[in-house]
Amino acid sequence: METLFDIRSPESFFSSEMAEEGKDEKWRRKELVIFSPEYYALCAASGMVSAGATHLAITPLDVLKVNMQVNPMKYQSIWSGLSVLLKEQGPSGLWRGWGGKFFGYGIQGGFKYGLYEYFKRKYLDVLTGYNRNVVFFASSASAQILADLSLCPFEAVKVRVQTQPQFAKGLIDGFPKLYASEGLFGFYRGLTPLWCRNLPFSMLMFSSFEHSVDFLYHKVLQTRKQDCSYFQQLGVTTVAGYTAGAVGTIVSNPADNIVAALNNKKVDNILQAVRSIGAVNLLTRSLPVRFTIVGPVISFQWFFIDTIKLLTGLPTSGGLNTDKG
């Protein structure tokens, strides 16, 4: 069986006919775009826009999720929790922390998606002969570590704004108030659990996305990516993105609960958070609302990124071997 999408070679992004014309000017232009700084910048910019926009759109559900995590007796379910928030804070209360969602997760998305492509290319050159999952895990972990360093201060302010209406109105007054009360440590109090949440999520999300794309082309559509219409390619991206988000949500839920508890100062350290929340609640608390949030968010992010790629003449993301057979 001919391997048409071998991630170890640049030719994998194109049809075999185009790969054979490696000296053709059209091929050289596309190779330059894909592996140039401009390509990584495009991935980062599209990741920033898509992540910022999607996280902004689900701010009300995020407000509910965080309050369910820090005050589960008061916010017991999605619908009752929304009713309590609307009754006590009004419609505007559902949008508290929107700045942290838009700017924080936008910046994080830029680092995450842009650096993933960069590290994947680098690790493919270094980790030759290794299982492809090693490359996916190493690339996503490397990208996520740096992405979370940029996100953590925004997350710290966002959680306080969403759960403590008297603390601040948003980022503008929240940042100086947090720094004045807790110093630089206050912005990074939740960094370790944030990594514990986002690293396994990111590693499973990216690897699940790559494998899902390959499965959909190989087993469902049974045709090569480049032979599919743009509509079909974006459909594969959307389904694979939702699957990847759902898988990552289950693994990252315990750490997400710990992040909320630490940033809301319900506890002083991770061990206290685990004891306070309990093993079962770590796994299940806020999981339904996170399923409602994360799957669609990741799916739309990949959809936006791949739409931008298609509009600029680039192949869509993911896929290991899209040759029919």
Side-chain angles (χ1 to χ4, degrees):
M1 180 180 67
E2 177 189 6
T3 299
L4 191 56
F5 200 99
D6 179 3
I7 60 175
R8 295 177 177 80
S9 63
E11 290 82 358
S12 63
F13 290 103
F14 307 101
S15 65
S16 57
E17 292 81 5
M18 185 175 290
E20 291 171 357
E21 298 172 2
K23 296 182 180 180
D24 183 79
E25 181 64 24
K26 184 177 181 181
W27 158 251
R28 286 202 297 270
R29 287 200 303 270
K30 286 201 171 186
E31 183 181 24
L32 176 65
V33 170
I34 288 179
F35 300 109
S36 68
E38 290 79 10
Y39 170 71
Y40 299 124
L42 176 67
C43 292
S46 59
M48 181 180 295
V49 172
S50 63
T54 51
H55 277 280
L56 175 64
I58 52 88
T59 297
L61 286 174
D62 186 66
V63 173
L64 173 63
K65 181 206 74 170
V66 173
N67 279 280
M68 288 176 68
Q69 290 172 331
V70 300
N71 197 347
M73 298 303 295
K74 184 176 182 180
Y75 304 93
Q76 298 182 1
S77 67
I78 294 177
W79 296 114
S80 64
L82 286 174
S83 299
V84 172
L85 284 171
L86 284 171
K87 181 179 179 179
E88 294 186 352
Q89 301 182 31
S92 62
L94 296 178
W95 292 95
R96 296 187 65 86
W98 70 267
K101 295 290 288 180
F102 180 71
F103 294 106
Y105 282 89
I107 294 172
Q108 186 215 39
F111 278 108
K112 180 169 67 175
Y113 288 103
L115 288 176
Y116 173 73
E117 295 292 339
Y118 173 80
F119 283 122
K120 185 169 72 171
R121 183 69 257 168
K122 293 300 180 182
Y123 287 139
L124 283 171
D125 295 335
V126 175
L127 302 175
T128 56
Y130 280 80
N131 184 283
R132 57 174 60 97
N133 285 318
V134 175
V135 174
F136 296 152
F137 289 158
S139 303
S140 55
S142 300
Q144 192 68 53
I145 287 173
L146 297 176
D148 282 351
L149 285 172
S150 67
L151 170 66
C152 199
F154 292 91
E155 183 77 358
V157 176
K158 177 188 76 72
V159 171
R160 284 169 173 79
V161 169
Q162 290 177 335
T163 59
Q164 303 172 23
Q166 73 283 358
F167 175 79
K169 294 180 179 179
L171 296 180
I172 294 178
D173 57 338
F175 269 111
K177 189 169 183 179
L178 180 57
Y179 182 77
S181 62
E182 299 184 43
L184 188 62
F185 173 75
F187 293 113
Y188 289 95
R189 175 190 296 273
L191 180 59
T192 298
L194 193 65
W195 276 336
C196 291
R197 179 189 76 182
N198 288 348
L199 280 173
F201 174 87
S202 185
M203 292 166 70
L204 283 173
M205 188 274 284
F206 278 106
S207 61
S208 296
F209 178 81
E210 299 271 8
H211 287 291
S212 295
V213 168
D214 182 59
F215 175 82
L216 290 169
Y217 281 116
H218 222 115
K219 302 299 183 181
V220 179
L221 295 179
Q222 297 185 345
T223 189
R224 303 179 302 179
K225 178 190 292 187
Q226 61 270 24
D227 293 333
C228 294
S229 66
Y230 282 3
F231 178 81
Q232 288 175 314
Q233 292 182 51
L234 290 176
V236 167
T237 294
T238 302
V239 174
Y242 191 92
T243 301
V247 171
T249 297
I250 297 173
V251 175
S252 64
N253 199 62
D256 189 60
N257 281 298
I258 294 173
V259 169
L262 286 172
N263 282 331
N264 199 48
K265 301 189 72 174
K266 290 285 186 180
V267 293
D268 294 325
N269 55 58
I270 296 176
L271 185 58
Q272 286 184 12
V274 173
R275 290 174 176 173
S276 173
I277 299 171
V280 175
N281 286 331
L282 278 174
L283 295 171
T284 60
R285 181 177 294 174
S286 75
L287 187 59
V289 70
R290 287 197 73 223
F291 267 126
T292 305
I293 294 174
V294 179
V297 164
I298 297 300
S299 184
F300 278 118
Q301 285 177 10
W302 280 114
F303 177 86
F304 289 155
I305 290 170
D306 277 357
T307 297
I308 293 173
K309 284 185 174 182
L310 287 175
L311 291 175
T312 53
L314 295 169
T316 54
S317 306
L320 307 174
N321 180 359
T322 58
D323 183 39
K324 184 178 179 179

